[in-house]
Amino acid sequence: MVSSALFLDYILRSARFIAADVFRQVIRPGDTVVDATMGNGHDTLTLCQLVGPEGKVYAFDVQSAAVENTRARLLETGVLDRAQLYCLGHEHMLEKVEGPVTAVVFNLGWLPGGDKSVTTLWETTEKAVRSALSLLKPLGVCIICAYPGHQEGDRERGELSKLLAQLPPQQYNVLGHKFLNAGPGAPECFVIQRQ
């Protein structure tokens, strides 16, 4: 019999923690990665730490406040030189990113603490996700946290689910994480790995 004490340090948490667990397992020093929605820079910082001084992080956001918050966070921790920050929609990823990349991370929705009327939109998210998938190297991952607790978020999650379900299984493995007892509007995490 296995002691339950062996498993006490693992806690099944939110979609964001699942996403972070995935990219911590996949990204190695020297890798090139993308933060498609930099927000306040938490993921961008983690990505910069994971890729190390030889790696590169491309980060996108349409809001200048997000870019400045992220720049300040990276400067404070001494990793700004590892990142290229763009005040630009993620649908322009292919114009700036030199692939292939190990990982692309998305947090859909709005800037935490920001204007909730400014959200990601399916029309631009779809183009960005397709771009991200085209940039992935073999065994690279695209990690998407979707927040269906508002009208555009519901739409994005639904359309994203349809798009990902149609990806050819010979080229991609697609996993959807959903907390079944978290209630409507709970965040969901999608992980797509290129074969």
Side-chain angles (χ1 to χ4, degrees):
M1 181 173 190
V2 177
S3 168
S4 62
L6 295 174
F7 302 103
L8 290 179
D9 61 346
Y10 182 78
I11 301 170
L12 190 58
R13 297 184 227 183
S14 71
R16 283 201 26 76
F17 284 99
I18 290 170
D21 283 344
V22 171
F23 59 73
R24 282 188 179 101
Q25 292 179 52
V26 173
I27 298 168
R28 298 289 176 260
D31 282 347
T32 299
V33 300
V34 177
D35 185 349
T37 48
M38 75 178 87
N40 286 311
H42 297 287
D43 285 345
T44 313
L45 172 59
T46 301
L47 294 171
C48 284
Q49 292 166 334
L50 290 171
V51 302
E54 302 302 316
K56 188 168 202 170
V57 177
Y58 294 90
F60 297 85
D61 208 294
V62 295
Q63 296 183 75
S64 59
V67 177
E68 291 315 309
N69 291 345
T70 301
R71 184 180 313 283
R73 187 176 303 280
L74 301 183
L75 187 59
E76 179 182 301
T77 54
V79 296
L80 182 59
D81 60 329
R82 302 174 192 182
Q84 292 288 324
L85 307 181
Y86 296 101
C87 190
L88 191 64
H90 51 205
E91 69 273 19
H92 298 284
M93 190 182 305
L94 291 180
E95 298 167 22
K96 301 294 183 182
V97 177
E98 296 176 29
V101 302
T102 301
V104 182
V105 180
F106 288 82
N107 276 294
L108 304 180
W110 54 71
L111 175 64
D115 181 355
K116 292 184 177 181
S117 70
V118 180
T119 71
T120 53
L121 302 170
W122 174 244
E123 289 75 17
T124 53
T125 297
E126 178 184 14
K127 182 176 180 183
V129 169
R130 290 183 186 278
S131 296
L133 296 178
S134 75
L135 286 167
L136 290 179
K137 68 182 186 181
L139 301 182
V141 295
C142 179
I143 306 154
I144 307 168
C145 286
Y147 298 84
H150 58 102
Q151 186 174 355
E152 184 59 30
D154 289 339
R155 180 172 173 252
E156 269 188 314
R157 192 223 11 99
E159 294 298 327
L160 181 61
S161 294
K162 287 183 217 172
L163 171 67
L164 299 181
Q166 295 172 7
L167 292 177
Q170 301 82 3
Q171 296 175 346
Y172 299 98
N173 290 320
V174 181
L175 180 64
H177 290 274
K178 179 179 180 178
F179 287 80
L180 297 176
N181 61 343
E188 297 180 30
C189 179
F190 300 89
V191 179
I192 308 100
Q193 185 173 50
R194 186 170 189 170
Q195 295 191 36

